[in-house]
Amino acid sequence: QEGSTPTGESGFSAWLRKPVRQSLLHDWLRRSLGTLDALPTQPMMVLAIPTQNSGHILLVEDNLVNREVSTGMLERLGYQVTVAEDGQQALTVSARASFDLILMDCQMPVMDGFEFLERMHANAAWHFIPVVVVTAMDLTSDERKMLEGSTRKVIDKGASAGIDIRAAVREILAPKSAAKRAAETGKGT
């Protein structure tokens, strides 16, 4: 639901009721900030950041914005990213491709992260793949123990999540990146 009547002394000119549909939010932002046509037409300079990272990451996240932000960040760091929206899709994708790391949420529709981890660890071919969980869930001590026993790292979503994710991914995939650099420079075995 939406409204455009000022809401009393607060000074708001619009409001949206949760959960907010992405299209509604987009429309209100366009109205508030002006259309894209009003933006400068000068080309933007994009800086290419040289990277020597490598690895194929499966990102399992049901939230579109989180998927897009995480995918962009990981790709800018030099990683190849494949996306699944829930645990069931992640199992299907994992059966067709190999991954160096799985970065996943816990709370997802269809199949949550806990069930995905159980099924993943039951498959000998996937048991070696490191998993990093990024969650906003208030985990019980039993849930945290289970995740800590079956994942490489548990990161709480919050202001520093991006920094923590980058650090965890780099730490886990650094040996693969180093091996690739060595092979490319002829120093590998």
Side-chain angles (χ1 to χ4, degrees):
Q1 191 172 16
E2 61 181 291
S4 58
T5 306
T7 56
E9 295 178 13
S10 66
F12 292 113
S13 60
W15 55 271
L16 299 171
R17 187 180 308 248
K18 288 176 142 183
V20 177
R21 289 186 322 204
Q22 183 180 5
S23 61
L24 245 170
L25 178 60
H26 185 262
D27 290 346
W28 274 105
L29 288 172
R30 284 179 66 99
R31 282 186 219 153
S32 297
L33 301 174
T35 65
L36 293 177
D37 298 336
L39 295 176
T41 57
Q42 296 293 326
M44 292 177 34
M45 184 169 71
V46 178
L47 297 175
I49 300 170
T51 180
Q52 296 182 352
N53 296 320
S54 68
H56 191 184
I57 298 173
L58 173 59
L59 174 65
V60 189
E61 171 64 66
D62 63 313
N63 181 285
L64 176 64
V65 173
N66 291 346
R67 273 196 318 268
E68 289 177 353
V69 168
S70 297
T71 298
M73 174 186 68
L74 294 167
E75 288 177 342
R76 278 190 305 279
L77 292 172
Y79 300 105
Q80 179 185 353
V81 181
T82 298
V83 174
E85 294 180 20
D86 58 60
Q88 185 60 53
Q89 283 185 9
L91 290 175
T92 301
V93 170
S94 295
R96 294 188 306 236
S98 62
F99 297 99
D100 301 303
L101 175 71
I102 297 174
L103 183 65
M104 63 174 279
D105 189 11
C106 279
Q107 293 179 297
M108 297 176 287
V110 184
M111 180 187 296
D112 67 16
F114 296 102
E115 185 177 350
F116 169 78
L117 285 169
E118 286 179 32
R119 291 189 186 192
M120 183 192 140
H121 288 298
N123 184 326
W126 300 333
H127 192 72
F128 69 93
I129 304 171
V131 177
V132 174
V133 170
V134 182
T135 185
M137 228 175 120
D138 189 19
L139 298 169
T140 66
S141 60
D142 289 341
E143 289 169 333
R144 190 162 288 278
K145 280 182 197 173
M146 191 284 266
L147 289 176
E148 288 172 353
S150 61
T151 65
R152 288 283 296 271
K153 188 157 187 76
V154 178
I155 298 172
D156 293 319
K157 285 183 181 175
S160 67
I163 294 167
D164 295 340
I165 291 168
R166 284 191 295 272
V169 168
R170 283 183 174 144
E171 175 187 328
I172 294 166
L173 295 181
K176 180 175 182 59
S177 297
K180 181 182 178 190
R181 282 192 306 275
E184 288 173 352
T185 59
K187 297 177 185 172
T189 54

